[in-house]
Amino acid sequence: MKDKISKIVSLAKRRGFIFPSSEIYGGFESSYDFGPLGVEMKRNLKQLWWSEMIKNHDDIVGLDAAILMNPKVWQASGHLTAGFADTLVECKECHKRFKKEEIKNGSCPECGGKITKPRRFNLMMKTFAGPVQEKAATTYLRAETCQGIYMNFENVLNSARMKLPFGICQIGKAFRNEINPKNFIFRTREFEQMEMQWFCHPKTADKWFEFWKKERIRWYKDLGMKKENLRSKEIPAKERAHYAKKQVDIEYRFPFASPAGRRGWGEIEGIHNRGDWDLSNHSKHSGKDLRYFDEETKEKYFPHIIETSIGVERSIFAFLIDSYQEIKGGRTKTTKSTKEVEILLKLDKRIAPIKVAILPLIRNKPELVKIAKEVYKMLKPHFVCQYDEVGSIGRRYRRQDEVGTILCLTCDFQTLEDNTLTIRDRDTMKQKRVKIKDLVKALKEQLEN
Ligand code: ATP
């Protein structure tokens, strides 16, 4: 199974999904860059989440808050105190550090050496705002995007004339000085979050918690994530984040041991009932009354917050793993007799980075190449497309299957006679002929249904 991860890491680099950062300098621990295909996939996922929140639910609005904030925010939120820290131990022999929960039999998991007593390390990333470091204000790169939402609770409430219950959603970078970043893009120091904060009356918080839990699990299933690899897990009080009254993690079955030793299962999204922790603490620290006034009931209270929080990269990793298939002997007659292993990335149509590939049957027939390039030019404004003329047609189909391209169009000799071409479906490998003039409509239908 571990092998599967290295295959995906290698595919991600070879085909331009994910590269190690600053590779020519030997990389930079836990930093990754998204290549041409990765960035499309990432944008698709973010767009899908955004539409889900904004279009499919009433009373959710968006926000894009700054990464750098007044450091008092982090004081009030509890992130600068013991709340946001990992308990670590160090090996006295090899000096590697581990989270306390990673130690199974009292010794170093790597070299078996003796370990130190646990110590707490804060995860906030410190930086300086201002040109002269000594005089500059110390501030922090945000550790979660939601604090920007709480800072704007009143602004949004008043400007967008919202009434409880309502939600604010945001997508953006977050930074954590993780002591033990690992497992490719599963745990990194810089990552992106998609967070929605739902503000509601305290008495309705439990009901909304259940609602959002179901909604969020449905989203993954709807995007094709296999049921058996997905589960929700209620987190007991002693393991919860410092702000959470109730916490359910949506977990994916990763092919590696999870940090807490729960073999395979790792969190991709957290659903938290944050109670009034954030708004009441920010009221106390800032002196600004952030309570909500209900015009109808004349009641004044701190709304309770239900949060849904996903890591973009972590969910991309889960989708890559979930869709990766190896087919021994291949899927076609030409490969069946060989020992070839075909790779198929069966990503949902909406997540797949390339929707359409345009392939001339052979490249040494200028008329075919000319038509194929014209088709490519015609389709480019409508779909994310790729033109490929290198290698045999079978190889090119496989190259596209390997990155999850939904449809392959082939211009062949019949194209020269009747202006039709074939559309090949990634999953069924069935082909049908379509007139070039009807192509945009036909592709839209196939990609949207
Ligand atoms: P972890 O599993 O790393 O302990 P967490 O419980 O600290 O995660 P939350 O604070 O609930 O995570 O953050 C919400 C989501 O943000 C997580 O479900 C995960 O997808 C993502 N996330 C958190 N930390 C990281 C990280 N270091 N690298 C990548 N994604 C992360």
Side-chain angles (χ1 to χ4, degrees), residues 383-394:
F383 313 98
V384 176
C385 296
Q386 206 172 64
Y387 173 83
D388 187 9
E389 58 176 31
V390 181
S392 76
I393 191 72

Side-chain angles (χ1 to χ4, degrees), residues 5 15 34 43 63 71 95 156 163 169 175 195 199 207 210 250 255 282 347 353 357 407:
I5 298 291
R15 300 303 309 271
F34 279 71
R43 287 173 82 106
L63 182 79
H95 299 290
V156 173
K163 282 208 170 92
C169 64
F175 303 82
E195 295 198 310
F199 300 89
K207 177 189 93 182
E210 288 307 310
I250 300 182
H282 286 308
L347 288 166
L407 301 169

Side-chain angles (χ1 to χ4, degrees), residues 176 178 185-188 191 193 243 267-270 272 309-311 314:
R176 293 182 189 177
E178 301 278 5
I185 53 171
F186 180 85
R187 179 172 293 108
T188 50
F191 56 99
Q193 287 188 311
Y243 47 74
E267 172 187 342
I268 47 176
E269 173 162 355
H272 306 123
S309 174
I310 320 180
R314 218 182 257 190

